Amino acid sequence: MLNFHIEWMMVLSWYVLLLYIHIFSVVLSIGPYFILFPLLARIRSTPFELLPEHLEPFRITVHLTKHAGHVLVATGILLTWLTAWTWKTSWIIVTVLIMVVSLYFIARAFSPILRQLRVPHEDRHVLVNKLRNALIWYVIITLTMMWFMVAKPTLW
């Protein structure tokens, strides 16, 4: 009986550790994008020679969130394996679908705009507006994914 209790506590402690890592990776996947909004005004008005230093936080954020997403997926798989949830659970399926959309979106949304902003351009305001819209949509997509993970709604 004591061995069963010790094994159960070990599984529980692994679960708690994975859950905290999973939640932290969510914070790293979404949080940095909020600090980018104030940079948009600076990108819009800064001289072109100083623009790279204002674009660098965007590049770093995309890079950080990409790696946080890897941790997020790995811990999500392990948490699903450790719990009674199955891959046929509706909120897991929807979360995975949204995650695929967010991966496609992030690959298409930020890098091309940032590349265009790194060269002299007449339409910087248009590009900054596109960048702002991409930020808004990415935050909406990721917060929607987070809602499904927290609320765990039964859809079917």
Side-chain angles (χ1 to χ4, degrees):
M1 183 68 163
L2 182 60
N3 284 341
F4 174 76
H5 182 68
I6 291 171
E7 287 178 20
W8 183 80
M9 290 302 290
M10 287 181 66
V11 168
L12 182 61
S13 62
W14 275 111
Y15 171 78
V16 170
L17 177 65
L18 285 171
L19 185 61
Y20 275 101
I21 293 170
H22 190 68
I23 292 168
F24 185 67
S25 64
V26 170
V27 171
L28 286 178
S29 294
I30 301 172
Y33 285 95
F34 287 99
I35 62 171
L36 296 178
F37 283 103
L39 282 176
L40 292 172
R42 290 184 188 156
I43 291 171
R44 192 181 305 273
S45 62
T46 194
F48 179 76
E49 300 77 35
L50 300 175
L51 196 57
E53 69 186 49
H54 295 296
L55 294 176
E56 188 64 11
F58 280 88
R59 189 193 65 75
I60 291 169
T61 299
V62 170
H63 190 72
L64 172 68
T65 58
K66 178 176 68 170
H67 293 299
H70 295 141
V71 174
L72 180 67
V73 169
T75 55
I77 290 169
L78 290 171
L79 286 167
T80 303
W81 179 64
L82 282 175
T83 62
W85 299 110
T86 70
W87 292 106
K88 295 178 183 175
T89 306
S90 61
W91 68 267
I92 292 177
I93 292 170
V94 173
T95 302
V96 169
L97 290 174
I98 294 171
M99 182 185 62
V100 170
V101 168
S102 74
L103 292 172
Y104 178 79
F105 181 81
I106 199 167
R108 298 279 184 191
F110 295 108
S111 296
I113 297 170
L114 293 174
R115 273 194 302 275
Q116 289 177 333
L117 282 168
R118 290 189 189 281
V119 296
H121 208 279
E122 294 291 321
D123 296 327
R124 188 188 306 179
H125 293 291
V126 171
L127 292 173
V128 173
N129 287 340
K130 285 182 179 181
L131 193 57
R132 188 193 73 231
N133 290 339
L135 274 172
I136 291 168
W137 276 108
Y138 185 73
V139 167
I140 289 170
I141 290 168
T142 54
L143 288 177
T144 303
M145 186 170 32
M146 186 176 78
W147 181 82
F148 275 99
M149 288 189 284
V150 172
K152 296 175 178 40
T154 303
L155 302 174
W156 56 80

